[in-house]
Amino acid sequence: MRFVRASSGTAKKPRPRAQFNLRGRLMLVAGAMGLCAVALVVRAVDLQLVDNDFYQRKADARFLREVPIPTSRGMITDRNGEPLAVSSPVESLWANPQELANDPDAIARLAEATSLPVDYLTRYVSQRKDKEFMYVPGHRRINPAVAQKILALKIPGVFSQREFRRFYPQGEAVAHVLGFTNIDDQGQEGVELAFDEWLRGKPGLQKVIRDRHGRIVEHVDLVRPAEPGKDLVLSIDRRIQFLAYRELKRTLLETRAASGSVVILDVATGEVLAMANLPSYNNNKVSGENRDAYRNRAVTDLFEPGSTIKPLTVAAGLEAGVITPTTLIDTNPGWIPNGRYRTSDFRNYGVLDVTGVLTKSSNVGVSKIVRMLPDREFDAFLRRFGFGSSTGSGFPGEAPGTFPTPDRWSGTHKQTLSYGYGLSATPLQIARAYAAIGNGGVMVTPTFVKGGHAGGSVRVLDPEIAAQVMQMMQTVTEPGGTATRAAILGYHVAGKTGTARKSAAGGYARRYVAYFAGLVPVERPRFAVTVVVNDPDPSAGGSTYGGGYVSAPLFARVMEGALRLMDVPPDDIETWLAAQAAGEGGRARVAGAATGGRR
């Protein structure tokens, strides 16, 4: 049976459709877009006006730069205002590696213009392509004309900036005193290093806007003005310096010596008037080669002073009262024991007074004098004259020397000290000690700055004893002395020769250092001079290696010129007048008679 569901009899009515409100929807969309626009405007105002620091920094990082303003280094002059070191404007080529790295043609053009290998320049640029600045290799601080010639090619990403370069008009003659600066114009040696802070000044700083090619399109602000370096006036006299350098070079060529130094001090002020060294170098063109030539041997190299110490040994005896200038000393038979060795003279001088000990440079004589002195008293005396300590000149790398204390002396040490072995000193230290004698016993701190003797002075010797030692040293340059070749016509010269054997492994070699230390004129000493010639060849030109033959003539030639240049009046008027009266023909005979015929 099939059942059928009965119909209810009523049909279901459909729902009515909602009326579409287009106007309302449009207003809603317009309102939403208006709110978005307002939000964008508000955000833009906030970013541009209210909180714009972040994006300003980003923009500035791309276009605003702080660039240094180069400043010139202070000029260095000699005591008379002659330039010794000057700074000249130059150009440095630089490039933007980011721009060059994407332009092989620009790299090729730049390589051709600078004579650099293309592959080298390509590699050099690619290694720096994440940077915006690099100096073009080999083209920093170059001639402005060369830089402008390259810039005229208008190579994309290549520019130049002004810098300063140091020039030294006197070249190698004053190189060891002046030193030099590096590529960044910072002092590296000598006076340039010692007075670097004074000379270098302070670079300025300015804000500029660069375009995307790196070109400056606007100068925004001066952050800090450039302050040029201060000038420096040295105590060096350019004329005397060149004279000393020339004569030292002549001597080294004649004797085939390894090296040499000349130091000239103003006795009263301690000012260094000249300091010449060889071998030298050209500080206008410094390379990494032969750095041994850069050092100032007059303040860094140590030598045993040899017989130049003998006047101080005599002065110590005079001060202690154990001798007088006329005390007789028996030097027979020309030698005395010195432990396992002998202390010997050049020959047997017999009986000498103390003046004769210096005149003949007797090792035996000074050995007998020092035996009369207590160890600590002799040690204190030499230290008073500055041995074993720096002179205080302030020159970079100055060596203090070596001088062992008495508790380290062996049984023979004091004896060898009396004639200049067993201690070491620089040529400047020897010159300072002699200047103290010439200054009436007052020792002044050496200085390289004109009027710069701020280190003060100290009395180290009684003036009467200083005068006695001066008179004794005068006999050394007169007939019968060891340094007649140091005599100067019209002037009395006080000095002392020295010939020291060079130390070697196991003792001393048969190689020598030839010295002459002197003061002139004797009546009122103006100059204290030390001449050191290291390792002269005894076979050179038939000469010998002794200080009286090698260093004394060099002293005489330099001082003849210096006395004339500085208008120092003669103190040996009689000899000078006799030479003038004799004329050119007789002048040599008069000079020869005054010096024993061995000038």
Side-chain angles (χ1 to χ4, degrees):
M1 178 179 289
R2 189 174 181 186
F3 295 93
V4 179
R5 185 175 179 179
S7 176
S8 60
T10 58
K12 192 174 182 179
K13 295 180 179 181
R15 293 180 179 178
R17 283 188 174 184
Q19 186 175 358
F20 179 72
N21 190 350
L22 180 61
R23 179 182 179 83
R25 290 193 176 189
L26 289 174
M27 290 181 65
L28 181 62
V29 172
M33 294 182 67
L35 288 174
C36 291
V38 170
L40 289 174
V41 171
V42 170
R43 182 58 175 161
V45 170
D46 180 62
L47 291 177
Q48 294 292 328
L49 302 177
V50 179
D51 188 22
N52 61 353
D53 291 345
F54 175 77
Y55 287 97
Q56 187 66 45
R57 286 195 300 269
K58 288 293 184 181
D60 289 348
R62 291 178 177 273
F63 300 105
L64 185 63
R65 292 287 187 272
E66 287 189 350
V67 297
I69 305 173
T71 185
S72 61
R73 194 172 175 86
M75 182 169 62
I76 301 176
T77 68
D78 81 339
R79 64 186 304 107
N80 300 312
E82 293 291 334
L84 300 178
V86 295
S87 290
S88 179
V90 290
E91 294 290 326
S92 292
L93 288 182
W94 67 276
N96 184 340
Q98 294 181 357
E99 190 171 352
L100 275 182
N102 299 320
D103 192 343
D105 180 62
I107 294 178
R109 292 172 61 197
L110 180 60
E112 182 180 1
T114 57
S115 300
L116 292 170
V118 177
D119 56 344
Y120 166 76
L121 187 58
T122 302
R123 185 170 60 254
Y124 191 89
V125 171
S126 65
Q127 291 171 348
R128 294 159 178 81
K129 62 183 179 181
D130 58 334
K131 303 182 183 299
E132 296 181 352
F133 180 93
M134 74 171 199
Y135 285 110
V136 176
H139 286 73
R140 188 175 177 190
R141 296 164 68 187
I142 61 175
N143 190 312
V146 175
Q148 291 303 317
K149 186 176 180 180
I150 297 174
L151 291 175
L153 300 175
K154 298 187 182 301
I155 303 172
V158 178
F159 314 95
S160 74
Q161 68 181 28
R162 168 162 290 193
E163 293 187 310
F164 289 89
R165 182 180 177 183
R166 207 65 160 159
F167 290 97
Y168 304 97
Q170 307 304 320
E172 62 183 30
V174 203
H176 290 110
V177 174
L178 297 177
F180 55 88
T181 60
N182 63 8
I183 192 70
D184 294 312
D185 219 20
Q186 298 170 337
Q188 299 297 294
E189 295 283 351
V191 168
E192 292 278 25
L193 174 59
F195 294 91
D196 184 56
E197 187 174 352
W198 176 272
L199 291 165
R200 69 185 175 198
K202 296 180 180 179
L205 196 65
Q206 63 178 341
K207 287 184 178 181
V208 300
I209 293 178
R210 295 185 187 273
D211 62 13
R212 65 187 184 89
H213 299 292
R215 296 185 293 262
I216 295 176
V217 296
E218 183 181 350
H219 294 269
V220 177
D221 187 24
L222 178 63
V223 179
R224 183 180 65 246
E227 297 180 18
K230 303 180 185 71
D231 293 343
L232 181 66
V233 181
L234 297 185
S235 59
I236 296 292
D237 188 303
R238 177 185 59 86
R239 303 165 302 173
I240 300 176
Q241 176 74 24
F242 181 77
L243 180 61
Y245 178 79
R246 184 190 68 189
E247 294 303 328
L248 178 62
K249 193 170 188 176
R250 169 183 167 182
T251 298
L252 263 61
L253 287 173
E254 291 175 349
T255 63
R256 295 202 291 266
S259 61
S261 299
V262 177
V263 178
I264 304 175
L265 298 182
D266 186 294
V267 168
T269 66
E271 294 179 352
V272 180
L273 298 175
M275 183 176 282
N277 297 275
L278 281 170
S280 188
Y281 67 101
N282 183 0
N283 49 357
N284 287 299
K285 191 176 182 180
V286 177
S287 65
E289 302 176 358
N290 195 23
R291 294 193 62 85
D292 185 58
Y294 296 168
R295 73 179 189 273
N296 186 345
R297 298 172 186 271
V299 297
T300 63
D301 285 20
L302 297 173
F303 303 94
E304 290 180 301
S307 294
T308 59
I309 209 78
K310 289 176 181 175
L312 298 179
T313 302
V314 169
L318 293 171
E319 183 178 84
V322 297
I323 57 171
T324 68
T326 58
T327 299
L328 297 179
I329 297 177
D330 188 0
T331 68
N332 285 300
W335 62 271
I336 57 173
N338 188 11
R340 294 181 301 161
Y341 306 98
R342 286 182 174 184
T343 292
S344 303
D345 284 338
F346 181 72
R347 63 180 178 84
N348 183 8
Y349 294 115
V351 178
L352 297 171
D353 61 14
V354 171
T355 300
V357 168
L358 287 185
T359 306
K360 299 299 183 181
S361 193
S362 171
N363 293 337
V364 175
V366 291
S367 296
K368 289 192 172 184
I369 291 173
V370 83
R371 286 180 179 180
M372 308 178 198
L373 299 173
D375 291 0
R376 296 199 175 277
E377 187 173 321
F378 184 56
D379 171 79
F381 185 88
L382 292 182
R383 291 186 189 280
R384 200 191 312 161
F385 276 81
F387 290 98
S389 60
S390 171
T391 66
S393 70
F395 198 91
E398 181 178 357
T402 60
F403 187 14
T405 55
D407 58 328
R408 297 177 58 193
W409 293 359
S410 64
T412 62
H413 203 110
K414 185 171 69 172
Q415 183 168 315
T416 58
L417 282 174
S418 70
Y419 50 88
Y421 287 87
L423 78 163
S424 63
T426 65
L428 179 60
Q429 286 176 310
I430 299 172
R432 179 178 66 159
Y434 272 67
I437 296 174
N439 199 28
V442 176
M443 188 165 66
V444 182
T445 302
T447 178
F448 288 85
V449 179
K450 183 180 180 181
H453 44 279
S457 59
V458 59
R459 177 164 292 284
V460 294
L461 190 63
D462 183 87
E464 184 177 347
I465 295 176
Q468 289 175 340
V469 175
M470 284 283 293
Q471 293 300 320
M472 293 184 202
M473 288 195 296
Q474 181 179 330
T475 66
V476 174
T477 65
E478 294 177 344
T482 60
T484 56
R485 293 169 180 251
I488 301 171
L489 181 63
Y491 296 89
H492 292 300
V493 178
K496 186 68 191 74
T497 56
T499 308
R501 291 180 65 175
K502 299 187 66 174
S503 60
Y508 288 90
R510 291 197 173 275
R511 298 166 62 189
Y512 301 87
V513 180
Y515 299 94
F516 183 82
L519 295 153
V520 63
V522 170
E523 290 299 320
R524 187 175 295 178
R526 179 67 186 276
F527 303 118
V529 185
T530 297
V531 176
V532 179
V533 178
N534 178 34
D535 203 12
D537 185 352
S539 65
S543 65
T544 69
Y545 51 80
Y549 287 89
V550 174
S551 299
L554 169 57
F555 166 89
R557 293 194 298 268
V558 174
M559 283 295 98
E560 281 176 345
L563 289 164
R564 182 176 64 254
L565 289 170
M566 301 296 277
D567 293 324
V568 179
D571 64 341
D572 186 8
I573 302 297
E574 293 78 8
T575 304
W576 186 81
L577 289 176
Q580 295 300 312
E584 292 296 331
R587 192 169 301 170
R589 291 194 298 273
V590 174
T595 61
R598 293 189 293 163
R599 278 203 60 198

